[in-house]
Amino acid sequence: MNINFHKPSTLDRNLKATIQRSGKIGFTAEAANKLKLSVDKSLMIGNNADDKDDQNLYVVVNDPKEEDAFQVLKAGSYYYVNTKPLFKTLRWDYEKYNYSFEITEENSDGNVYYKFKTSRKERDINEEPDE
């Protein structure tokens, strides 16, 4: 028998993002590294037009950034995207609910994109608001 052991250091961990109360998507350091985010890039964010019940988001990282896409911004070592108008349009109440995303890399016909698997839970009323 040939056993292939997996090393934790080579596995994708904590590839997550969340919507802050300000409407911005913030990325964990691990997610920003995996997506190779920088202020020279932008994100195209879409949803599944074939399945109206699919609440996940689908993201393509543009390098170099494109004008008509969501610009990647940085504050300190923290990457984020100002998505407030998007979530207002989608009618996602990010002030009442905490939206988080588990990010996985997908491949379709040789094109890489990221699936942001969406989960939602009611915010704790005692939770401190995001800055």
Side-chain angles (χ1 to χ4, degrees):
M1 174 180 5
N2 185 12
I3 300 173
N4 182 25
F5 291 99
H6 301 279
K7 297 177 183 175
S9 61
T10 63
L11 302 174
D12 287 338
R13 299 183 319 266
N14 202 21
L15 298 184
K16 298 195 181 286
T18 58
I19 303 175
Q20 302 170 352
R21 283 189 179 176
S22 62
K24 300 173 185 173
I25 292 180
F27 296 88
T28 62
E30 291 83 0
N33 287 336
K34 177 69 176 182
L35 276 64
K36 298 179 180 141
L37 296 181
S38 75
V39 295
D40 299 325
K41 298 183 180 183
S42 63
L43 304 181
M44 293 189 317
I45 303 173
N47 43 352
N48 185 349
D50 294 331
D51 183 356
K52 299 296 182 200
D53 294 327
D54 183 352
Q55 292 296 304
N56 300 315
L57 298 178
Y58 299 88
V59 176
V60 172
V61 179
N62 299 314
D63 183 14
K65 66 181 168 184
E66 293 187 13
E67 190 65 32
D68 200 20
F70 294 92
Q71 303 304 305
V72 175
L73 303 168
K74 186 176 181 185
S77 61
Y78 174 76
Y79 287 96
Y80 68 95
V81 178
N82 185 4
T83 46
K84 184 175 185 174
L86 170 66
F87 296 122
K88 290 286 188 188
T89 299
L90 294 175
R91 297 176 188 236
W92 287 16
D93 188 352
Y94 53 81
E95 292 174 340
K96 181 177 180 182
Y97 296 99
N98 181 25
Y99 290 88
S100 61
F101 307 101
E102 183 178 322
I103 303 169
T104 56
E105 183 175 309
E106 306 288 331
N107 193 317
S108 177
D109 299 324
N111 297 314
V112 173
Y113 66 95
Y114 298 92
K115 179 179 179 179
F116 281 45
K117 183 178 177 186
T118 306
S119 64
R120 180 184 90 165
K121 68 177 187 175
E122 196 153 353
R123 288 190 186 272
D124 181 353
I125 58 171
N126 298 318
E127 181 180 343
E128 291 291 321
D130 299 322
E131 294 182 25

